[in-house]
Amino acid sequence: MCDVEMADAAGPAPAAAAPAPAAARSKDAYYAMDEAAIDEVRRKKVWTGDATHFKRVAVSPAASMKMLMHAHSGCEAGLAAGGKPLEVMGLMVGYPDNAREDCMVVTDVFPLPVTGFETQVVADDEGVVNYMIKLSDMLEVTRKERIMGWYHSHPFDVDEAHNHCFLSSTDLSTQLLWQNAEDGNGNPFLAIVIDPLRSFAKGTAELGAFRAYPPAASPPANQCPDGEIVTDDAKRVEVWGSCWNRYYELEVEYFMSTQVPKPRAEIRAG
C-alpha cells in the first residue's frame, strides 16, 4: 500500500502526489511514449507466462488527483443523501512500460457513472457498459494509450492500524474478468483501490495497486498480497479480505514532468 502526502486533510481536494521516481528512468520519458517499443512489449505479452511479472506501477499526478477527488465526491454524495459514503468506480488509461517491463504506467483516469455500498461496486448496468464502449472508441481516436485498468474506492471507516485498500470477492471477480479478457490481447489489466476516509483523516493519500493470480497459480502458503507471511487467518482477512491469497500488490511510484515548474517561473518573470 502506498502513502502520498496530500494537502490539508480538511480541504476538499488532495494535493498532487509526492513523487517517488525510479532513478532508472527520466520523468519526461513517461510522456514521450515509444509506440513501436510498447507495441513490441504488447506483442511479446510475457506476463501471460508469469503470474507476478508486474512488480510496480507508475502513476501520473493528474491520475492520482482525479482518483482521489472522485473518491471524495462519493463520500460527500452519500452523506448528503443521509446515508453512508458511496463507493465510486472509474477506468485507468496507460500502457506497459517498455523501459522497465515489470512496470505499468497510468497516465489518466476517467470516472464511471456508477456508485455502490460496501464492496459491491460493479459496472454491469447497460448504461454504464455503453458509456465504457463510447469512451473506448473515443480513446482509440484521441489517445495513444489504452484502457488498462480500473479503480474504485473503499470508504468504510478510519482504521488506525491499516487502510482499506484490498480486493473483496466482488472486486477480485471483476479484476479476473477483465484481466482474463485483456492480458492475452497484449493489454495487461490493473486494479487500484483508494481509501478516501483514511486519506483525508491522516492527510496522506492511501491507495493500493493489485493484480489477480490466475486460477491455476499457487502462491506461497500464507503469503499475503504485500508478500508478508501471516499465519493468523483473522488478521490477514481483516487487512486483505477473504480472498487474501488470490491477488498480489504492486509497488506504486509517481512521476511528474520536469517541464511543470517552467510556466510558474515564466509567470513570475513576466
Side-chain angles (χ1 to χ4, degrees):
M1 299 179 188
C2 183
D3 296 350
V4 182
E5 291 185 1
M6 292 182 358
D8 182 359
R25 176 139 201 208
S26 163
K27 299 174 185 178
D28 293 325
Y30 290 108
Y31 296 98
M33 294 173 54
D34 186 336
E35 293 183 72
I38 293 171
D39 286 345
E40 180 63 14
V41 172
R42 294 188 187 280
R43 186 190 66 78
K44 291 180 179 178
K45 51 189 175 187
V46 295
W47 50 83
T48 59
D50 180 359
T52 58
H53 171 76
F54 290 105
K55 303 297 192 297
R56 68 197 80 247
V57 55
V59 182
S60 75
S64 60
M65 174 69 79
K66 288 167 72 173
M67 285 189 285
L68 287 160
M69 292 181 68
H70 187 202
H72 183 66
S73 71
C75 296
E76 290 186 323
L79 294 175
K84 296 181 179 180
L86 294 174
E87 291 187 31
V88 299
M89 179 179 175
L91 297 176
M92 300 185 291
V93 173
Y95 58 91
D97 191 357
N98 58 287
R100 295 185 300 163
E101 293 195 4
D102 68 344
C103 180
M104 305 175 76
V105 182
V106 178
T107 57
D108 203 354
V109 300
F110 293 86
L112 287 174
V114 57
T115 56
F117 295 101
E118 295 289 334
T119 72
Q120 295 299 315
V121 172
V122 292
D124 56 3
D125 178 82
E126 183 178 355
V128 176
V129 172
N130 289 335
Y131 179 90
M132 292 169 65
I133 293 172
K134 290 180 180 179
L135 175 61
S136 180
D137 290 343
M138 179 194 71
L139 291 173
E140 285 186 10
V141 177
T142 61
R143 302 288 289 262
K144 297 178 181 178
E145 309 98 305
R146 296 185 190 176
I147 294 173
M148 48 75 69
W150 67 298
Y151 71 87
H152 72 289
S153 61
H154 279 178
F156 301 154
D157 55 34
V158 180
D159 193 304
E160 291 296 325
H162 58 83
N163 62 32
H164 296 291
C165 299
F166 67 93
L167 295 184
S168 69
S169 58
T170 300
D171 300 337
L172 182 64
S173 295
T174 300
Q175 175 60 18
L176 271 173
L177 180 66
W178 270 333
Q179 202 170 296
N180 290 340
E182 295 293 326
D183 275 23
N185 292 320
N187 190 40
F189 226 75
L190 177 73
I192 282 183
V193 182
I194 307 109
D195 183 341
L197 296 184
R198 182 179 169 93
S199 293
F200 282 89
K202 299 296 184 180
T204 61
E206 300 194 18
L207 58 85
F210 309 103
R211 282 194 30 102
Y213 288 117
S218 298
N222 300 316
Q223 180 173 291
C224 292
D226 62 351
E228 183 178 356
I229 301 299
V230 179
T231 56
D232 184 337
D233 189 57
K235 180 62 177 178
R236 58 198 183 194
V237 170
E238 175 188 351
V239 176
W240 300 107
S242 60
C243 301
W244 58 270
N245 64 337
R246 298 312 309 163
Y247 65 96
Y248 74 97
E249 185 176 30
L250 287 72
E251 177 185 348
V252 180
E253 304 170 351
Y254 297 87
F255 63 92
M256 181 180 293
S257 172
T258 57
Q259 302 300 311
V260 170
K262 291 186 178 181
R264 296 180 181 177
E266 291 172 0
I267 291 171
R268 287 196 297 268

